[in-house]
Amino acid sequence: MLKPIVLSGIQPTGNLHIGNYMGAVQNWVALQNAEKYQCYFCIVDYHSLTSELTPAERKNNTLSLAAELIAAGLDPKKITLFVQSQVPEHTELAWIFNCVTPVAELYRMTQFKDKSTRQEKNINTGLLTYPILQAADILLYGGQLVPVGQDQVQHLELTKDIARWFNNRFGNYFPEVKPLLTEIPKVMSLLEPTKKMSKSLGGGHIVELADEPKSIEKKLSKAVTATAGGGTAPGAQNLLMLLKQFGTTELYTQFLQQEKTGTIRYGDLKKELARVIGNYFSDFRKRRAELLLNTTELQNILDHGAQKAQAVAQKTMSEVRKLIGIR
Ligand code: TRP
């Protein structure tokens, strides 16, 4: 029996933070280690062209993200880890999908609407057709299961539609795609804990996996825990959730108890949390630094991943070209 195909993608927008880790990367590592799937994990550098990264940032981020994914536990021997632009079939299939997708469907995407308000001066066409390239990422490999966060469900629905539009017009070819949602609490910003932790909010809002213990302590010391009118403050909730994830059960229950009885000292909670997060990622930081010391070796790993991916992508494209009457 062939193992079901899992595929996911991540943009090279900067260092991984604990929101990315809990929301995606940790889950990818678990899927890899389950040994029940054929996994493809793709660094989507072409997608990152829709936002404002400079060429140097794009280049550096791509390599450091590869190092971080490996340092976090992805094993390029067990899965296919590759960079999207190294497999040009992605953009080729995206063009074909452009021609089966009604433009009105793209204007409905909430991420497009969000990003259009966030980058008002740069509403480029790529921002609109972004989910078409995403559909190509997935369907090139016959991806069936796609581990993503809730915010990507609409894009996966569209991917399913695109497969159907293609199949109706050119013959049944692409399989049905399903999102693989995991029950993970959303990690919130340290400074604005009603918002999801996101790099775009600024450095003080996030804890990066690569942050040194001193810097984690400093960022956490500024984390907002005050209540904005009754109930447990979202900031305090967020810190407790993180303690549950990264600390021991004992430590967590101790602070939870104190929170319930109103004896909690947030300064102490922050110190302990900084300590456990720093420890949790200490191997990660070492491994990351080692990998980044030898970028030639890292590039070799990515080249090899791209070769494995491209073998599959080329087969798909030669079949697709036949179906649409090109060659
Ligand atoms: N759009 C996804 C995000 O913003 C990233 C992505 C690109 C992706 N291609 C993908 C996710 C394919 C899953 C599958 O998070």
Side-chain angles (χ1 to χ4, degrees):
M1 257 282 282
L2 283 180
K3 295 175 177 177
I5 294 167
V6 164
L7 184 140
S8 200
I10 185 167
Q11 286 199 52
T13 42
N15 285 348
L16 290 173
H17 58 71
I18 54 177
N20 304 133
Y21 181 74
M22 287 182 62
V25 177
Q26 194 179 33
N27 189 27
W28 294 6
V29 174
L31 288 164
Q32 160 191 283
N33 293 339
E35 297 187 355
K36 285 193 297 198
Y37 308 103
Q38 264 176 276
C39 298
Y40 293 85
F41 297 118
C42 182
I43 298 176
V44 293
D45 53 349
Y46 272 140
H47 277 109
S48 77
L49 214 56
T50 60
S51 62
E52 306 274 347
L53 290 184
T54 66
E57 283 169 334
R58 183 168 300 101
K59 195 167 193 171
N60 292 334
N61 288 353
T62 298
L63 265 188
S64 65
L65 179 54
E68 294 205 326
L69 291 172
I70 297 169
L74 287 187
D75 179 351
K77 292 204 183 70
K78 294 189 186 155
I79 51 130
T80 305
L81 174 66
F82 68 107
V83 176
Q84 184 186 42
S85 64
Q86 284 192 259
V87 184
E89 284 77 5
H90 287 245
T91 45
E92 187 181 355
L93 185 58
W95 173 256
I96 296 166
F97 286 165
N98 268 306
C99 302
V100 301
T101 306
V103 69
E105 299 288 334
L106 300 174
Y107 283 113
R108 289 180 44 239
M109 296 293 118
T110 53
Q111 194 169 73
F112 170 68
K113 293 186 217 169
D114 283 354
K115 287 190 180 171
S116 300
T117 48
R118 264 191 274 146
Q119 50 185 77
E120 265 182 325
K121 296 214 171 66
N122 182 17
I123 308 179
N124 58 80
T125 310
L127 213 52
L128 181 67
T129 57
Y130 178 112
I132 293 187
L133 182 56
Q134 181 167 351
D137 296 339
I138 298 167
L139 294 172
L140 256 187
Y141 304 95
Q144 295 150 305
L145 298 170
V146 184
V148 284
Q150 190 64 42
D151 64 327
Q152 291 298 312
V153 170
Q154 197 184 31
H155 286 171
L156 295 192
E157 286 300 317
L158 185 72
T159 301
K160 211 192 282 183
D161 289 338
I162 290 174
R164 198 165 39 79
W165 293 323
F166 181 96
N167 290 351
N168 285 343
R169 183 160 161 200
F170 297 113
N172 216 7
Y173 183 72
F174 290 110
E176 184 160 316
V177 177
K178 283 204 192 94
L180 202 61
L181 292 168
T182 33
E183 282 306 313
I184 8 162
K186 229 197 249 176
V187 183
M188 308 309 277
S189 147
L190 300 180
L191 299 178
E192 288 176 73
T194 52
K195 295 185 181 159
K196 188 173 141 183
M197 183 176 280
S198 157
K199 189 184 168 64
S200 62
L201 294 172
H205 293 252
I206 64 178
V207 175
E208 293 182 357
L209 273 51
D211 277 343
E212 292 297 331
K214 273 268 160 298
S215 144
I216 302 176
E217 202 178 320
K218 198 165 155 205
K219 286 184 184 175
L220 282 181
S221 74
K222 295 188 183 142
V224 172
T225 51
T227 339
T232 309
Q237 204 68 284
N238 191 42
L239 298 186
L240 281 167
M241 184 279 288
L242 291 173
L243 190 63
K244 184 175 183 185
Q245 161 80 15
F246 296 109
T248 61
T249 318
E250 266 171 302
L251 195 63
Y252 169 67
T253 28
Q254 181 194 325
F255 277 101
L256 188 67
Q257 205 52 42
Q258 293 174 356
E259 199 263 341
K260 282 195 181 124
T261 54
T263 55
I264 191 165
R265 288 165 55 174
Y266 287 112
D268 294 345
L269 168 61
K270 289 172 177 181
K271 275 218 183 74
E272 286 298 323
L273 184 58
R275 186 180 57 80
V276 295
I277 294 178
N279 280 343
Y280 191 94
F281 291 109
S282 95
D283 286 344
F284 168 89
R285 292 193 300 275
K286 243 185 261 152
R287 185 92 183 93
R288 175 188 191 275
E290 282 163 13
L291 286 158
L292 286 175
L293 224 47
N294 190 347
T295 49
T296 317
E297 170 60 19
L298 195 55
Q299 192 55 59
N300 284 341
I301 293 175
L302 291 175
D303 290 350
H304 182 69
Q307 277 166 21
K308 280 201 283 180
Q310 195 166 31
V312 179
Q314 279 175 340
K315 180 164 179 290
T316 301
M317 281 320 298
S318 79
E319 289 164 357
V320 166
R321 284 189 212 107
K322 268 202 204 92
L323 284 171
I324 66 172
I326 290 177
R327 275 180 285 204

